Amino acid sequence: MLVSLTLFFPFIGFILTVILNKIVHYKYSQYITSIFVIFSSLCSWIIFFRILDNSQTYKVFLFNWIQSGDFFVEWSLRIDALTSVMLIVVTNI
């Protein structure tokens, strides 16, 4: 759940900004998007420290992408030490 939030917080902030763009002043839109990016950065730090403690690889299943007979392609995320470091780099910069 935390990984999904880390990846989708900036997108949620974008959607809220697009919806509220006509209603609120553009300065508040900047605050909304900045807050969601900060939340994403905090979540990436939490993921990093969880990976640092356990040194395991986690698989986060999101949904089935393609399903045809016995052939399944799922959209999932694998989080390991390198991924957690890259999450921090991307969300903090």
Side-chain angles (χ1 to χ4, degrees):
M1 179 70 177
L2 193 61
V3 175
S4 301
L5 289 177
T6 303
L7 296 176
F8 292 116
F9 263 145
F11 182 66
I12 294 168
F14 164 73
I15 295 296
L16 282 176
T17 302
V18 168
I19 292 170
L20 299 176
N21 194 22
K22 302 291 184 192
I23 300 170
V24 297
H25 194 261
Y26 71 91
K27 182 174 28 173
Y28 298 114
S29 298
Q30 294 171 358
Y31 293 146
I32 291 170
T33 54
S34 297
I35 287 170
F36 276 96
V37 169
I38 289 170
F39 286 158
S40 177
S41 178
L42 291 174
C43 290
S44 67
W45 279 101
I46 293 169
I47 291 169
F48 173 73
F49 286 118
R50 284 187 183 175
I51 295 290
L52 189 65
D53 289 340
N54 296 342
S55 298
Q56 293 181 354
T57 300
Y58 296 102
K59 180 180 173 185
V60 179
F61 173 76
L62 297 175
F63 60 84
N64 284 330
W65 185 42
I66 299 172
Q67 182 177 357
S68 176
D70 292 338
F71 180 68
F72 292 100
V73 177
E74 59 185 30
W75 189 25
S76 61
L77 305 169
R78 293 191 187 272
I79 306 298
D80 58 356
L82 178 62
T83 307
S84 64
V85 169
M86 288 307 295
L87 279 173
I88 289 173
V89 169
V90 169
T91 57
N92 285 320
I93 290 177

